[in-house]
Amino acid sequence: MDYILSKNTPRTGAGKSREVGPMGIVEQKTVAERARQAFDALTRAERQLANALLDNYPMLGLESITAVAESAGVSTPTVVRMAKKLGFGGFPEMQASLRAELQATISSPIAKHDQWAASALEGHLLSRFADAVTENIRQTLHQIDKTTFDAVADLLSDPERNVHVVGGRITRSMADHFFTHMQVIRPGVTQIASNSNSWPHYVLNMRAGDVLVAFDIRRYEHDILRLTEMARARDVTVVLFTDQWGSPAARHAAHRFHARIEVPSAWDSTTVILFISEALIAAIETRTWETTRARMNELEELFDKTRLFRKFV
Amino acid sequence: MDYILSKNTPRTGAGKSREVGPMGIVEQKTVAERARQAFDALTRAERQLANALLDNYPMLGLESITAVAESAGVSTPTVVRMAKKLGFGGFPEMQASLRAELQATISSPIAKHDQWAASALEGHLLSRFADAVTENIRQTLHQIDKTTFDAVADLLSDPERNVHVVGGRITRSMADHFFTHMQVIRPGVTQIASNSNSWPHYVLNMRAGDVLVAFDIRRYEHDILRLTEMARARDVTVVLFTDQWGSPAARHAAHRFHARIEVPSAWDSTTVILFISEALIAAIETRTWETTRARMNELEELFDKTRLFRKFV
DNA sequence: CAGGACCTGTAAAAAAAATTTCAGAATTAA
DNA sequence: TTAATTCTGAAATTTTTTTTACAGGTCCTG
């Protein structure tokens, strides 16, 4: 940006809201902090508003009260009431506070780099983690081949092919998640139990043309390698979710997704794997929408009948 | 419905002013550019105003016309006249344009398209999904209270307290993932089976001071509500991972994490929940590092002995 | 130095924003 | 279930903002 930032700051943050804490120290709370803190004390409509405000923080709050109310889908009185609950005299006062915050934020170079670090999380593990994960997503996406993704989605949308899902010690949860959703989307989906002794039984049921979706990140598991090997021997197409280095099972896989998994932790992060998996589910669901919608409706009815899940909201 | 998307208007960049150039190409000019360009055509008072505006760009322009006029030492009609000279319909229109600019400037630079859209994925489901997830992470982080996060990490690091983990139909995988890691980190961790009939048995083993980590996103499950209710009645601290709207179980929870879960799919995304969960695991592991390292080493040896997992790499 | 063109601010009018009131709706408690 | 309480938005009201009209100014030109 080439605009000039003021050297002199005559236009001080008009009503920068302050509060005197227990120690007599002047505390400055951002509107976001106040909203978060008071969240529990807010009513339904006010929470809806708070969410909208935080969703598009802080820009939404800088519009007129009418625009804010409309965006959040609440009435203008609700906006006023919440502003007061957050400790402001009224909406304009809250807005002035937002402007002051933004002023402070925008002049700091941190803001340019990292939006979320500018909040109270500066340097906190959470924001470092967020940086790592976001960067992992970015890099993973750079490496993913669109063609592969689409091909896999097509493969898994084919009702003629049965789908088998398997995961390892850590990735079992990912396999489970994938299975749970696929099970709703289409018939013919099997989850392979985690006890590898029983795996040969599952192989017995694999037919040529079927698809085996396997999850395997370091440290790689020998049993998964064996399973994919057996599957390929039976002309089963293997789709593998693995890390950037690649499980040895990759040699048997027709399609592979390499996710970045490193984060500031003793463990690897499976967040990006879950991300791809969810995106894939979305892609498949689009392709089989007619069937899927029917199945979802049916599932709804079953839920209602069994009262297994009571409806809220 | 568990799998219904909600509307959520993505706050349009209000009146971003456009102009059609000589080539018929739509040009977007910032207010600052317009002001500088038109500077020569401005009158004395207007120049004074333009300078004030640029001196404190763009914040000054976001205040009321009265405040702007006063700050610049001119009258309000002058402000209106200049706004019109710069090609806007009036002052509010210019202000909307400023807001739109600012929005573009402060939006997380990493999150924005340029990064991965540059690859072959432009417009592809994957990149839209990535946008959504990154935005979800960003927004979730905005709402997370650092204190809560740290308090929960402390709680779960306390060896005196047993930890119980439970998830719902969809979130079971998240609970499973969390359990798998916690099991390595520390002793005294129980995974509550998914069959809710057996839950009373688990409650029987909960002692005052224990922690129950529950996962529940829409559509919220009644059994989870009941379980957390029972747990709280036994003086068990409930930690809840839920979505932005909040599971009804929230009322029994001492600590809550509200994750954003909306993505372009018929289902909600649990990626952000996994992200928080992993970050939490990392935080706990840091706090209990001495114990955890010992346990990890021991686990390694056990793996070697049982040859359950063959080493690669 | 008169006349005209153009600036500029005051003040009034118009429009919009913000607040308050209040009755119906929704929720909770009994 | 019913009663009590709380919440919520429509509408009216008040306040503020924004625009318009217009009456001096200023400054040039002849």
Side-chain angles (χ1 to χ4, degrees), chain B residues 66-141:
Chain B
T66 321
V68 173
E70 263 176 32
S71 270
V74 300
S75 67
T76 56
T78 300
V79 182
V80 178
R81 281 190 290 260
M82 194 190 71
K84 288 186 174 166
K85 271 200 186 170
L86 298 190
F88 298 101
F91 177 75
E93 204 174 291
M94 181 173 90
Q95 203 172 48
S97 182
L98 277 173
R99 268 197 301 266
E101 279 177 35
L102 196 53
Q103 172 71 282
T105 309
I106 67 172
S107 303
S108 164
I110 303 163
K112 285 315 154 193
H113 273 297
D114 321 347
Q115 298 294 320
W116 48 62
S119 58
L121 291 174
E122 178 81 64
H124 191 269
L125 172 72
L126 256 178
S127 69
R128 278 188 292 131
F129 218 91
D131 278 341
V133 169
T134 317
E135 185 62 14
N136 279 345
I137 291 181
R138 199 179 69 76
Q139 290 183 0
T140 301
L141 239 53

Coordinates of all heavy atoms in Angstrom, one line a residue, chain B residues 66-141:
Chain B
T66 N -18.9 15.0 10.2 CA -18.7 16.1 11.1 C -17.3 16.1 11.7 O -16.5 17.1 11.7 CB -19.7 16.1 12.3 OG1 -20.9 15.7 11.8 CG2 -19.8 17.4 13.0
A67 N -16.9 14.9 12.2 CA -15.6 14.7 12.8 C -14.5 15.0 11.8 O -13.5 15.6 12.1 CB -15.4 13.3 13.3
V68 N -14.7 14.5 10.5 CA -13.7 14.7 9.5 C -13.5 16.2 9.2 O -12.4 16.7 9.2 CB -14.2 14.0 8.2 CG1 -13.2 14.4 7.0 CG2 -14.2 12.5 8.4
A69 N -14.7 16.9 9.1 CA -14.6 18.3 8.8 C -13.9 19.1 9.9 O -13.0 19.9 9.6 CB -16.0 18.9 8.6
E70 N -14.2 18.8 11.1 CA -13.5 19.4 12.2 C -12.1 19.2 12.2 O -11.2 20.1 12.4 CB -14.2 19.0 13.5 CG -15.2 19.9 14.1 CD -15.9 19.3 15.3 OE1 -15.2 18.7 16.1 OE2 -17.1 19.6 15.5
S71 N -11.7 17.9 12.0 CA -10.3 17.5 12.1 C -9.5 18.3 11.0 O -8.4 18.7 11.2 CB -10.1 16.1 11.8 OG -10.2 15.4 13.0
A72 N -10.1 18.4 9.9 CA -9.4 19.1 8.7 C -9.6 20.6 8.8 O -8.9 21.3 8.1 CB -10.0 18.6 7.4
G73 N -10.4 21.1 9.7 CA -10.6 22.5 9.8 C -11.4 23.1 8.6 O -11.2 24.2 8.2
V74 N -12.3 22.3 8.1 CA -13.1 22.8 7.0 C -14.6 22.6 7.4 O -14.9 22.0 8.4 CB -12.8 22.2 5.7 CG1 -11.4 22.4 5.3 CG2 -13.1 20.7 5.7
S75 N -15.5 23.0 6.5 CA -16.9 22.8 6.8 C -17.4 21.4 6.2 O -16.7 20.9 5.3 CB -17.8 23.9 6.2 OG -17.7 23.8 4.8
T76 N -18.5 21.0 6.7 CA -19.0 19.7 6.2 C -19.3 19.7 4.7 O -19.1 18.8 4.0 CB -20.2 19.2 7.0 OG1 -21.2 20.2 7.1 CG2 -19.7 18.9 8.5
P77 N -19.9 20.8 4.3 CA -20.2 20.8 2.8 C -19.0 20.6 2.0 O -19.0 20.0 0.9 CB -20.8 22.2 2.6 CG -21.4 22.6 3.9 CD -20.5 22.0 4.9
T78 N -17.9 21.1 2.4 CA -16.6 21.0 1.7 C -16.3 19.5 1.6 O -15.8 19.0 0.5 CB -15.4 21.7 2.4 OG1 -15.8 23.1 2.5 CG2 -14.1 21.5 1.7
V79 N -16.5 18.8 2.6 CA -16.3 17.3 2.6 C -17.1 16.7 1.6 O -16.7 15.9 0.7 CB -16.5 16.7 4.0 CG1 -16.2 15.2 3.9 CG2 -15.7 17.4 5.1
V80 N -18.4 17.0 1.6 CA -19.3 16.4 0.6 C -18.9 16.8 -0.8 O -18.8 15.9 -1.7 CB -20.7 16.9 0.8 CG1 -21.7 16.4 -0.3 CG2 -21.2 16.6 2.2
R81 N -18.5 18.0 -1.0 CA -18.1 18.5 -2.4 C -16.9 17.7 -2.9 O -16.8 17.3 -4.0 CB -17.9 20.0 -2.4 CG -19.2 20.8 -2.4 CD -18.9 22.2 -2.7 NE -18.3 22.9 -1.5 CZ -19.0 23.6 -0.6 NH1 -20.3 23.8 -0.8 NH2 -18.4 24.2 0.4
M82 N -16.0 17.5 -2.0 CA -14.8 16.8 -2.4 C -15.1 15.4 -2.7 O -14.6 14.8 -3.7 CB -13.7 16.9 -1.4 CG -12.3 16.4 -2.0 SD -11.0 16.2 -0.8 CE -11.5 14.7 0.0
A83 N -15.9 14.7 -1.9 CA -16.2 13.3 -2.2 C -16.8 13.2 -3.6 O -16.5 12.3 -4.3 CB -17.2 12.9 -1.1
K84 N -17.7 14.2 -3.9 CA -18.3 14.2 -5.2 C -17.2 14.4 -6.3 O -17.3 13.8 -7.4 CB -19.4 15.2 -5.3 CG -20.6 14.8 -4.5 CD -21.8 15.7 -4.7 CE -23.0 15.1 -4.0 NZ -24.1 16.1 -3.8
K85 N -16.3 15.3 -6.0 CA -15.2 15.5 -7.0 C -14.4 14.3 -7.3 O -13.9 14.1 -8.4 CB -14.3 16.7 -6.6 CG -14.8 18.0 -7.0 CD -13.6 19.0 -6.9 CE -14.2 20.5 -7.2 NZ -13.1 21.5 -6.9
L86 N -14.3 13.5 -6.2 CA -13.5 12.3 -6.4 C -14.3 11.1 -7.1 O -13.8 10.0 -7.2 CB -12.9 11.8 -5.0 CG -12.0 12.7 -4.3 CD1 -11.4 12.0 -3.1 CD2 -10.9 13.3 -5.2
G87 N -15.5 11.5 -7.4 CA -16.3 10.5 -8.2 C -17.2 9.7 -7.3 O -17.7 8.7 -7.8
F88 N -17.4 10.1 -6.1 CA -18.4 9.3 -5.3 C -19.8 10.1 -5.3 O -19.8 11.3 -5.5 CB -17.9 9.2 -3.9 CG -16.6 8.4 -3.8 CD1 -15.4 9.0 -3.6 CD2 -16.6 7.0 -3.9 CE1 -14.2 8.3 -3.6 CE2 -15.4 6.3 -3.8 CZ -14.2 7.0 -3.7
G89 N -20.8 9.3 -4.9 CA -22.1 9.9 -4.9 C -22.3 10.9 -3.7 O -23.1 11.8 -3.7
G90 N -21.5 10.6 -2.7 CA -21.6 11.4 -1.5 C -20.6 10.9 -0.5 O -19.8 10.0 -0.7
F91 N -20.6 11.5 0.7 CA -19.7 11.1 1.7 C -19.8 9.6 2.1 O -18.8 8.9 2.2 CB -19.8 12.0 2.9 CG -18.9 11.6 4.0 CD1 -17.5 11.9 4.0 CD2 -19.3 11.0 5.2 CE1 -16.6 11.5 5.0 CE2 -18.5 10.6 6.2 CZ -17.1 10.9 6.1
P92 N -21.0 9.1 2.4 CA -21.1 7.7 2.9 C -20.5 6.8 1.8 O -20.0 5.7 2.2 CB -22.6 7.5 3.0 CG -23.1 8.9 3.3 CD -22.3 9.8 2.5
E93 N -20.7 7.1 0.6 CA -20.2 6.2 -0.5 C -18.7 6.2 -0.5 O -18.1 5.1 -0.6 CB -20.7 6.7 -1.8 CG -20.7 5.7 -2.9 CD -21.3 6.2 -4.2 OE1 -22.6 6.5 -4.2 OE2 -20.6 6.3 -5.2
M94 N -18.1 7.3 -0.2 CA -16.6 7.3 -0.1 C -16.2 6.5 1.1 O -15.2 5.8 1.0 CB -16.1 8.8 0.0 CG -14.6 8.9 0.1 SD -14.0 10.6 0.1 CE -14.0 11.0 1.8
Q95 N -16.9 6.6 2.1 CA -16.6 5.9 3.3 C -16.7 4.4 3.1 O -15.8 3.7 3.6 CB -17.5 6.3 4.5 CG -17.0 6.1 5.8 CD -17.9 6.7 6.9 OE1 -19.1 6.5 6.9 NE2 -17.3 7.4 7.8
A96 N -17.7 4.0 2.4 CA -17.8 2.6 2.1 C -16.6 2.1 1.4 O -16.1 1.0 1.6 CB -19.1 2.3 1.4
S97 N -16.2 2.9 0.4 CA -15.0 2.6 -0.4 C -13.8 2.4 0.5 O -13.0 1.5 0.3 CB -14.8 3.6 -1.4 OG -13.7 3.3 -2.3
L98 N -13.6 3.3 1.4 CA -12.5 3.2 2.4 C -12.6 1.9 3.2 O -11.5 1.2 3.3 CB -12.5 4.4 3.3 CG -11.9 5.7 2.8 CD1 -12.2 6.8 3.8 CD2 -10.4 5.5 2.6
R99 N -13.7 1.6 3.6 CA -13.9 0.4 4.4 C -13.5 -0.8 3.6 O -12.8 -1.7 4.0 CB -15.3 0.2 4.9 CG -15.6 0.8 6.2 CD -16.9 0.3 6.8 NE -18.0 0.6 5.9 CZ -18.8 1.6 6.1 NH1 -18.6 2.5 7.0 NH2 -19.8 1.8 5.3
A100 N -13.9 -0.8 2.3 CA -13.6 -2.0 1.5 C -12.1 -2.1 1.3 O -11.6 -3.2 1.3 CB -14.3 -1.8 0.1
E101 N -11.5 -1.0 1.1 CA -10.0 -1.0 0.9 C -9.4 -1.6 2.1 O -8.5 -2.5 2.0 CB -9.5 0.4 0.8 CG -9.6 1.1 -0.5 CD -9.1 2.5 -0.4 OE1 -8.1 2.8 0.4 OE2 -9.7 3.4 -1.1
L102 N -9.8 -1.1 3.3 CA -9.2 -1.5 4.5 C -9.4 -3.0 4.7 O -8.5 -3.7 5.1 CB -9.8 -0.7 5.6 CG -9.1 -0.7 7.0 CD1 -7.6 -0.3 6.8 CD2 -9.8 0.2 7.9
Q103 N -10.5 -3.4 4.4 CA -10.9 -4.8 4.5 C -9.9 -5.6 3.7 O -9.3 -6.6 4.2 CB -12.3 -5.1 3.9 CG -12.7 -6.5 3.8 CD -12.9 -7.1 5.2 OE1 -12.0 -7.5 5.9 NE2 -14.2 -7.3 5.5
A104 N -9.7 -5.2 2.5 CA -8.7 -6.0 1.6 C -7.3 -5.9 2.2 O -6.6 -6.9 2.1 CB -8.8 -5.4 0.2
T105 N -7.0 -4.8 2.8 CA -5.6 -4.7 3.3 C -5.4 -5.6 4.5 O -4.3 -6.2 4.6 CB -5.4 -3.2 3.7 OG1 -5.7 -2.4 2.6 CG2 -3.9 -3.0 4.1
I106 N -6.3 -5.6 5.4 CA -6.0 -6.3 6.6 C -6.4 -7.8 6.6 O -6.0 -8.5 7.5 CB -6.8 -5.7 7.8 CG1 -8.3 -5.8 7.7 CG2 -6.4 -4.2 8.0 CD1 -9.0 -5.4 9.0
S107 N -7.1 -8.2 5.6 CA -7.4 -9.6 5.5 C -6.2 -10.4 5.5 O -5.2 -10.1 4.8 CB -8.2 -9.9 4.3 OG -9.4 -9.2 4.3
S108 N -6.1 -11.4 6.3 CA -5.0 -12.3 6.4 C -4.3 -12.5 5.0 O -4.9 -13.1 4.2 CB -5.3 -13.6 7.0 OG -4.3 -14.5 6.8
P109 N -3.1 -12.0 4.9 CA -2.5 -12.1 3.5 C -2.3 -13.5 3.1 O -2.4 -13.9 1.9 CB -1.2 -11.3 3.7 CG -1.0 -11.2 5.2 CD -2.3 -11.4 5.9
I110 N -2.0 -14.4 4.1 CA -1.7 -15.8 3.8 C -3.0 -16.4 3.2 O -3.0 -17.2 2.3 CB -1.3 -16.5 5.0 CG1 0.0 -15.8 5.6 CG2 -1.0 -18.0 4.7 CD1 0.3 -16.2 7.0
A111 N -4.1 -16.1 3.9 CA -5.3 -16.8 3.6 C -5.8 -16.5 2.1 O -6.5 -17.2 1.6 CB -6.4 -16.4 4.5
K112 N -5.4 -15.4 1.6 CA -5.9 -15.0 0.4 C -5.5 -15.8 -0.8 O -4.4 -16.3 -0.9 CB -5.7 -13.5 0.2 CG -6.6 -12.6 1.1 CD -8.1 -13.2 1.0 CE -8.8 -12.9 2.3 NZ -10.0 -13.6 2.4
H113 N -6.4 -15.7 -1.7 CA -6.2 -16.6 -2.9 C -4.9 -16.6 -3.5 O -4.4 -17.7 -3.8 CB -7.2 -16.0 -4.0 CG -8.5 -16.6 -3.9 ND1 -8.8 -18.0 -4.1 CD2 -9.7 -16.1 -3.6 CE1 -10.0 -18.2 -3.9 NE2 -10.7 -17.1 -3.6
D114 N -4.3 -15.5 -3.7 CA -3.0 -15.4 -4.5 C -2.1 -16.6 -4.2 O -1.4 -17.1 -5.1 CB -2.3 -14.1 -4.2 CG -3.2 -13.0 -4.0 OD1 -4.4 -13.2 -4.4 OD2 -2.8 -11.9 -3.6
Q115 N -2.1 -16.9 -2.9 CA -1.1 -18.0 -2.5 C -1.3 -19.3 -3.3 O -0.5 -19.6 -4.1 CB -1.3 -18.2 -1.0 CG -0.9 -17.0 -0.2 CD 0.5 -16.6 -0.3 OE1 1.4 -17.5 -0.3 NE2 0.8 -15.3 -0.4
W116 N -2.4 -20.0 -3.0 CA -2.5 -21.2 -3.7 C -3.4 -21.2 -4.9 O -3.4 -22.1 -5.7 CB -3.1 -22.3 -2.7 CG -4.3 -21.9 -1.9 CD1 -5.5 -21.5 -2.4 CD2 -4.3 -21.8 -0.5 NE1 -6.3 -21.2 -1.4 CE2 -5.6 -21.4 -0.2 CE3 -3.4 -22.0 0.5 CZ2 -6.0 -21.2 1.1 CZ3 -3.8 -21.9 1.8 CH2 -5.1 -21.4 2.1
A117 N -4.1 -20.1 -5.1 CA -4.9 -20.0 -6.3 C -4.0 -19.9 -7.5 O -4.4 -20.2 -8.6 CB -5.8 -18.8 -6.2
A118 N -2.7 -19.5 -7.2 CA -1.8 -19.3 -8.3 C -1.5 -20.6 -9.0 O -1.2 -20.7 -10.2 CB -0.5 -18.7 -7.8
S119 N -1.6 -21.7 -8.2 CA -1.4 -23.0 -8.8 C -2.5 -23.4 -9.7 O -3.3 -22.5 -10.1 CB -1.2 -24.0 -7.7 OG -2.4 -24.1 -6.9
A120 N -2.5 -24.6 -10.1 CA -3.5 -25.0 -11.1 C -4.9 -25.2 -10.5 O -5.8 -25.6 -11.1 CB -3.1 -26.4 -11.7
L121 N -5.0 -24.8 -9.2 CA -6.2 -25.2 -8.5 C -7.3 -24.1 -8.5 O -8.3 -24.2 -7.9 CB -5.9 -25.5 -7.0 CG -5.1 -26.8 -6.8 CD1 -4.7 -26.9 -5.4 CD2 -6.0 -28.0 -7.2
E122 N -7.0 -23.0 -9.2 CA -7.9 -21.9 -9.2 C -9.4 -22.3 -9.3 O -9.8 -23.0 -10.3 CB -7.5 -21.0 -10.5 CG -8.5 -19.8 -10.6 CD -8.1 -18.7 -9.7 OE1 -7.0 -18.1 -9.9 OE2 -8.9 -18.3 -8.8
G123 N -10.1 -21.9 -8.4 CA -11.6 -22.2 -8.4 C -12.0 -23.6 -8.1 O -13.1 -23.9 -8.0
H124 N -11.0 -24.4 -8.0 CA -11.3 -25.9 -7.7 C -11.8 -26.0 -6.3 O -11.5 -25.2 -5.4 CB -10.0 -26.7 -7.9 CG -10.2 -28.1 -7.9 ND1 -10.1 -28.9 -6.7 CD2 -10.4 -29.0 -8.9 CE1 -10.4 -30.2 -7.1 NE2 -10.5 -30.3 -8.3
L125 N -12.6 -27.0 -6.1 CA -13.2 -27.3 -4.8 C -12.1 -27.3 -3.7 O -12.3 -26.8 -2.6 CB -13.9 -28.7 -4.8 CG -14.4 -29.2 -3.4 CD1 -15.6 -28.4 -3.0 CD2 -14.7 -30.6 -3.5
L126 N -11.0 -27.9 -4.0 CA -9.9 -28.0 -3.0 C -9.5 -26.6 -2.5 O -9.3 -26.4 -1.3 CB -8.7 -28.7 -3.6 CG -8.4 -30.1 -3.2 CD1 -7.2 -30.6 -4.0 CD2 -8.2 -30.2 -1.8
S127 N -9.4 -25.7 -3.4 CA -8.9 -24.4 -3.0 C -10.0 -23.6 -2.3 O -9.8 -22.9 -1.3 CB -8.3 -23.5 -4.1 OG -9.3 -23.1 -5.0
R128 N -11.2 -23.8 -2.7 CA -12.3 -23.2 -1.9 C -12.4 -23.8 -0.5 O -12.6 -23.1 0.4 CB -13.7 -23.4 -2.7 CG -13.9 -22.5 -3.8 CD -15.2 -22.6 -4.4 NE -15.4 -23.9 -5.1 CZ -16.5 -24.7 -4.9 NH1 -17.4 -24.4 -4.0 NH2 -16.6 -25.8 -5.6
F129 N -12.2 -25.1 -0.5 CA -12.2 -25.7 0.8 C -11.1 -25.2 1.7 O -11.2 -24.9 2.9 CB -12.0 -27.2 0.6 CG -12.8 -28.1 1.5 CD1 -14.1 -28.5 1.2 CD2 -12.3 -28.4 2.8 CE1 -14.9 -29.2 2.0 CE2 -13.1 -29.2 3.6 CZ -14.4 -29.6 3.3
A130 N -9.9 -25.0 1.1 CA -8.8 -24.5 1.8 C -9.0 -23.1 2.3 O -8.7 -22.8 3.5 CB -7.5 -24.5 0.9
D131 N -9.7 -22.3 1.5 CA -10.0 -21.0 2.0 C -10.9 -21.1 3.2 O -10.7 -20.4 4.2 CB -10.8 -20.2 0.8 CG -9.8 -19.6 -0.2 OD1 -8.7 -19.5 0.2 OD2 -10.3 -19.3 -1.3
A132 N -11.9 -21.9 3.1 CA -12.9 -22.0 4.1 C -12.2 -22.5 5.4 O -12.4 -21.9 6.5 CB -14.0 -23.0 3.7
V133 N -11.4 -23.5 5.3 CA -10.8 -24.0 6.5 C -9.8 -23.0 7.1 O -9.8 -22.8 8.4 CB -10.0 -25.3 6.2 CG1 -9.1 -25.7 7.4 CG2 -11.0 -26.4 5.9
T134 N -9.0 -22.3 6.3 CA -8.1 -21.4 6.8 C -8.9 -20.2 7.5 O -8.5 -19.8 8.6 CB -7.3 -20.8 5.7 OG1 -6.8 -21.8 4.9 CG2 -6.0 -20.1 6.3
E135 N -9.9 -19.8 6.9 CA -10.7 -18.8 7.5 C -11.4 -19.2 8.8 O -11.4 -18.5 9.7 CB -11.8 -18.4 6.5 CG -12.7 -17.2 6.9 CD -11.9 -15.9 7.0 OE1 -10.7 -15.8 6.6 OE2 -12.5 -15.0 7.7
N136 N -11.8 -20.5 8.8 CA -12.3 -21.0 10.0 C -11.3 -21.0 11.1 O -11.6 -20.7 12.3 CB -12.8 -22.5 9.8 CG -14.2 -22.5 9.1 OD1 -14.9 -21.5 9.1 ND2 -14.5 -23.7 8.6
I137 N -10.1 -21.4 10.8 CA -9.0 -21.4 11.8 C -8.8 -20.0 12.3 O -8.8 -19.7 13.5 CB -7.7 -21.9 11.2 CG1 -7.8 -23.4 10.9 CG2 -6.6 -21.7 12.2 CD1 -6.5 -24.0 10.4
R138 N -8.8 -19.0 11.4 CA -8.5 -17.7 11.8 C -9.6 -17.2 12.7 O -9.3 -16.6 13.8 CB -8.5 -16.8 10.5 CG -7.8 -15.5 10.7 CD -7.8 -14.7 9.4 NE -9.1 -14.3 9.0 CZ -9.8 -13.2 9.5 NH1 -9.2 -12.6 10.5 NH2 -11.0 -12.9 9.1
Q139 N -10.8 -17.4 12.3 CA -12.0 -16.9 13.1 C -12.1 -17.6 14.5 O -12.4 -17.0 15.5 CB -13.3 -17.1 12.3 CG -13.3 -16.1 11.2 CD -14.7 -16.2 10.4 OE1 -15.5 -17.0 10.8 NE2 -14.8 -15.4 9.4
T140 N -11.8 -18.9 14.4 CA -11.9 -19.6 15.7 C -10.8 -19.1 16.7 O -11.1 -18.8 17.8 CB -11.6 -21.1 15.4 OG1 -12.6 -21.6 14.5 CG2 -11.7 -21.9 16.7
L141 N -9.7 -18.8 16.2 CA -8.6 -18.3 17.0 C -8.9 -16.9 17.6 O -8.5 -16.6 18.7 CB -7.3 -18.2 16.1 CG -6.2 -19.0 16.7 CD1 -6.6 -20.4 16.9 CD2 -5.0 -18.9 15.8

